[in-house]
Structure formats: C-alpha cells, structure tokens
Amino acid sequence: MGKTADLTAVQKAIIDTLKQEGKTQKEISERIGCSQSAVSRHLSGRSVGRKKCGRKRCTTRRGDRTLRKIVEKDRFQTLGDLRKQWTESGVETSRATVYRRVQEMGYRCRIPQVKPLLNQKQRQKRLTWATEKQHWTVAQWSKVLFSDESKFCMSFGNQGARVWRKTGQREMPKCLKSSVKYPQSVMVWGAMSAAGVGPLCFIKGRVNAASYQEILEHFMLPSAEKLYGDEDFIFQHDLAPAHSAKTTGKWFTDHGITVLNWPANSPDLNPIENLWDIVKRKLRDARPNTLDELKAAIEASWASITPQQCHRLIASMPRRIEAVISAKGFPTKY
C-alpha cells in the first residue's frame, strides 16, 4: 500500500489545538478526517523527515545547472536543440523532461521583442537628445508632426523563432530579436499629431530623395494643413537616407519648415509606432486576401484612429524621454 498524503499545516495546527483541549487521538482523527496513526505520528514527532513518494528524479542538481547554462548561452534554441546539447553533456533524458526542467527554472517560451541594435555612439546620442528634451512640456510636443513609414504584409501568422525567458526579462538584450529596417514589403507613409492623423501614402518601389519630396509635397503638407491650419509646427522624421539627403534639407528650407533633430534607430521615441501597431492588430482580424483588400483595410483602420488616442500618445512623450534617460540610451518598452 502506498504512502498517504502528508498532513497540511492547517491539519497539524488543529491536531495541536484539540490535543490541548484533552481530545483523544481517535476523536481528533475523526474530527479532521485522517487516520489515527497520522495523528499519532504528528504528536510523537515521527512524521518529520518522512521519505517522499513517487518516482525518483531522473536528473541531478549538477545536470540541471548544466541545462541552465545551455539555455542562457542561446535563448533562441528549440526543445530539440536543448535536449541534444544536454545529451552531449552526459544527461540522457526526454523532451518532456527538458521542458519540465526549464519550466522549473522559471523560463517560458515567448515571442521575442523586436528592437534595433544600438552601438555605444548611438546610445550616447539618444541619451544626449533625451537630456536636451527632458523639460519639454506636452504642449511643446503637441506642436510636433510625427511621421514614419511602415510595412504591411498579406500574412500575419509567421512570427519567427521563440525565445526562452523568465518573467521580467522581456527587455533583456539576450532575449531581443534585432529588427531590419525597410524589408521588402508594402510600404505606407503616415503622419500624426496631438490633433489626429493625416492622409496615408502607399509607396511603390524604393524611396529616394526625389520620391520622398513628392510625398512631402502631396501628403505631408496636406497633413499639416489639416492638423495645424495656419499655426506653426515642427516636422519629425527619422534619419533614413532619403530623409537626410541635402536636396530634402533644401526642400524644408525653401518651404520654411523646421525639422526636429532625431536620434538614429529610435522607434521607441516615435508615438506613431503605436498607431502602426493598432492598425496591424486590426488587420489580423480582417485577414485581407488581395492587395486592394489590404490597402482598404489599412485605410479603414487608420481612419478609425481618434484624436483622443493621438493626444494620449503625444502626452506620453515626457515618459518616453525619462525612460531613455533611465535606460542610459538603450531601447525602451515603448
């Protein structure tokens, strides 16, 4: 006959209380629903140090430490990869055991965050920029017209490799997947301010300085007219080659438009990135089958964004700045 379950802490406390009241072991066992022998073992102290039931653990602490080192060496390995390396280290076990051990260590298989890789110089420039803008108010940020390009794909199911990480390790550099700027895909240009969004531009082919200036002429200026009217504004864009070209700089000078200086590889500082995420989440439900359906779904999702949503994102700029300063220039959760 197998070993019965151990008494709980509550049952032990009740036994001690009833014993003090003068109850017999039989009365106590009937009261709490356990055997009389269990009550006797607890009162005599013989229940301490009892051997545990169940199958013996098939791995040792040393073997588990080896598995932890394998996981932390490369967080993007599959269970099969982990089992193979663990076997090569001398621990023969099943995939199920590997899974249980990494779960016991606190690791969970998650879709990795995508963040740009930043070198020391770029991190320092981000930190300097954030320090300069640290005291900007929401009213000042409301004068900025933010812009960006984003890719949209027909398929939304392929999310790539997963990563082993613990709770709270979402932003750990070892658990991040590096993003690639401007992959081959359908590209869309858009702009937003605290007052709302401007018209979208679907980009065909590669963007150079000349084509970008066409976008500015036919889409950025109408966006500024819609969102600011006759008021002054500051235009924001990133440091893509077409944006930083000399002829593009001359275009802004000729039109009397102030351009906000911007640190490289800093999508976490641009609130329009959050709008792109909103649109892409809605597209997962729409599931367009053709390019025309995809464009229509993008335009419908973009048009559904409210001025209140935009204002909340602009109001987050001081927090974004503080996050960059706290992270010493490293990418942040935004």
Side-chain angles (χ1 to χ4, degrees):
M1 185 174 179
K3 182 175 80 73
T4 58
D6 291 332
L7 295 172
T8 65
V10 174
Q11 287 176 320
K12 292 176 182 179
I14 294 174
I15 291 174
D16 294 335
T17 301
L18 294 177
K19 183 62 177 176
Q20 291 175 3
E21 294 176 358
K23 303 294 184 183
T24 64
Q25 293 184 5
K26 184 177 181 180
E27 290 174 333
I28 295 173
S29 64
E30 292 174 350
R31 180 76 174 271
I32 67 173
C34 69
S35 66
Q36 187 174 338
S37 60
V39 176
S40 176
R41 282 196 301 271
H42 171 68
L43 294 174
S44 63
R46 286 181 287 124
S47 62
V48 180
R50 296 177 66 206
K51 292 184 178 180
K52 294 183 178 180
C53 58
R55 192 177 70 174
K56 185 179 178 181
R57 190 179 178 91
C58 64
T59 60
T60 63
R61 291 183 179 179
R62 182 176 182 180
D64 294 346
R65 287 196 298 270
T66 301
L67 178 60
R68 184 189 297 275
K69 292 179 182 178
I70 293 171
V71 173
E72 293 182 349
K73 183 179 180 181
D74 182 2
R75 301 295 187 99
F76 291 86
Q77 298 179 90
T78 64
L79 276 177
D81 295 333
L82 295 177
R83 183 194 178 197
K84 181 180 178 181
Q85 291 195 48
W86 208 17
T87 301
E88 290 174 352
S89 70
V91 181
E92 288 283 351
T93 187
S94 64
R95 283 171 59 95
T97 300
V98 175
Y99 181 75
R100 285 195 300 271
R101 294 298 178 269
V102 294
Q103 290 276 315
E104 290 170 4
M105 295 173 191
Y107 295 103
R108 301 295 183 267
C109 193
R110 298 287 186 259
I111 297 170
Q113 281 281 92
V114 180
K115 293 289 182 72
L117 288 176
L118 298 173
N119 57 38
Q120 176 61 36
K121 186 177 180 180
Q122 290 171 330
R123 292 196 300 271
Q124 184 58 49
K125 286 186 176 181
R126 277 167 52 89
L127 182 58
T128 301
W129 183 90
T131 303
E132 292 173 354
K133 303 294 187 293
Q134 186 175 13
H135 300 295
W136 273 36
T137 64
V138 174
Q140 287 176 290
W141 286 114
S142 296
K143 293 292 184 181
V144 179
L145 179 64
F146 290 90
S147 71
D148 190 34
E149 295 91 359
S150 185
K151 68 172 183 176
F152 289 84
C153 304
M154 296 296 297
S155 174
F156 303 95
N158 184 16
Q159 297 169 317
R162 291 183 171 243
V163 62
W164 293 102
R165 69 185 186 213
K166 298 180 180 180
T167 301
Q169 293 184 343
R170 185 180 183 185
E171 304 293 331
M172 181 179 287
K174 287 184 178 181
C175 301
L176 296 176
K177 184 170 70 173
S178 302
S179 60
V180 180
K181 205 168 181 66
Y182 300 121
Q184 294 296 319
S185 182
V186 176
M187 297 295 295
V188 180
W189 180 93
M192 61 88 71
S193 74
V197 298
L200 288 177
C201 173
F202 290 95
I203 303 171
K204 293 183 178 179
R206 192 166 180 170
V207 179
N208 54 30
S211 62
Y212 182 60
Q213 290 160 37
E214 289 290 321
I215 294 172
L216 295 175
E217 189 76 38
H218 299 292
F219 292 92
M220 190 275 283
L221 291 180
S223 297
E225 178 68 25
K226 172 187 174 183
L227 301 172
Y228 292 101
D230 295 330
E231 295 181 8
D232 293 334
F233 70 95
I234 302 172
F235 182 67
Q236 178 277 335
H237 59 183
D238 59 27
L239 301 182
H243 302 178
S244 55
K246 290 183 179 180
T247 55
T248 301
K250 184 177 183 301
W251 187 94
F252 283 110
T253 301
D254 293 343
H255 287 76
I257 297 174
T258 303
V259 179
L260 179 69
N261 65 309
W262 195 254
N265 288 338
S266 299
D268 53 331
L269 288 169
N270 194 342
I272 199 173
E273 294 287 349
N274 299 81
L275 295 187
W276 294 135
D277 288 341
I278 291 172
V279 173
K280 289 175 182 179
R281 283 198 297 270
K282 291 182 178 180
L283 290 182
R284 293 193 184 103
D285 298 327
R287 295 283 176 175
N289 296 313
T290 66
L291 187 59
D292 289 339
E293 289 181 3
L294 176 62
K295 290 181 178 180
I298 294 171
E299 288 181 324
S301 299
W302 186 255
S304 69
I305 294 171
T306 65
Q308 291 77 15
Q309 287 177 295
C310 294
H311 187 271
R312 283 197 297 270
L313 289 173
I314 296 300
S316 72
M317 285 304 298
R319 296 195 299 274
R320 295 171 191 257
I321 299 298
E322 290 297 332
V324 171
I325 294 173
S326 298
K328 301 187 183 303
F330 279 94
T332 61
K333 66 178 182 179
Y334 290 97

